[in-house]
Amino acid sequence: MAHYAEGEMLKTLTKPPITKTQLVMYSGASGDFNPIHTVEEFAVKAGLGGVIAHGMLTMAFVGQMLTDIVGENGTLVDFGVRFKGMVRPGDIITCGGQVTKVQDEPGGQRVFASVFAQTDKGDRVVTGDAEFTTYAI
């Protein structure tokens, strides 16, 4: 079982560059067929300068980081984010976080953390909070 301390940085997760194919696949999986995510001309006319990734895709990356951290010996209790910026094809997203509070519990810990996703340009595109538990087997 990992043991967390207040102020500790969470293990980061870096995803490969976002691709247009990935955005089309995510549209199908999520049912979000808004053309700002898949049709370049539409996104340009909408004033976005080109297609942008679904915010929920970026949120899912943060969720993946959290479930990787929690593993099989814990539970992701709560998790929420705010969308702060746009992600475009070619962006490399790194997810991370910092422990803000720890409560010791019988057999484990309850951990509260601030979380984020940022592009390789350093833009924080998602920020939020998470709560998870970790327990020894």
Side-chain angles (χ1 to χ4, degrees):
M1 173 186 89
H3 186 82
Y4 292 94
E6 197 171 306
E8 181 177 344
M9 300 303 290
L10 298 177
K11 183 179 177 185
T12 60
L13 170 72
T14 300
K15 301 298 289 185
I18 300 291
T19 67
K20 289 182 179 179
T21 300
Q22 183 179 25
L23 298 182
V24 171
M25 293 172 64
Y26 187 80
S27 291
S30 67
D32 180 352
F33 294 101
N34 187 328
I36 63 170
H37 302 299
T38 56
V39 181
E40 191 73 24
E41 297 80 14
F42 186 91
V44 169
K45 284 183 182 176
L48 297 173
V51 295
I52 60 172
H54 306 71
M56 295 300 284
L57 177 61
T58 307
M59 180 182 181
F61 295 156
V62 176
Q64 179 184 1
M65 174 198 73
L66 288 166
T67 56
D68 287 351
I69 289 169
V70 171
E72 296 179 1
N73 299 324
T75 302
L76 178 58
V77 176
D78 193 22
F79 157 50
V81 299
R82 292 167 291 284
F83 302 106
K84 301 287 192 173
M86 293 184 280
V87 173
R88 299 182 182 281
D91 284 347
I92 297 170
I93 302 298
T94 297
C95 304
Q98 185 171 21
V99 175
T100 56
K101 182 179 173 184
V102 176
Q103 294 176 344
D104 289 327
E105 297 185 344
Q109 293 181 305
R110 181 170 302 270
V111 180
F112 300 86
S114 61
V115 295
F116 64 87
Q118 67 183 35
T119 68
D120 51 317
K121 298 168 192 75
D123 298 326
R124 290 236 168 152
V125 291
V126 163
T127 60
D129 299 295
E131 175 186 350
F132 60 90
T133 58
T134 61
Y135 294 99
I137 296 178

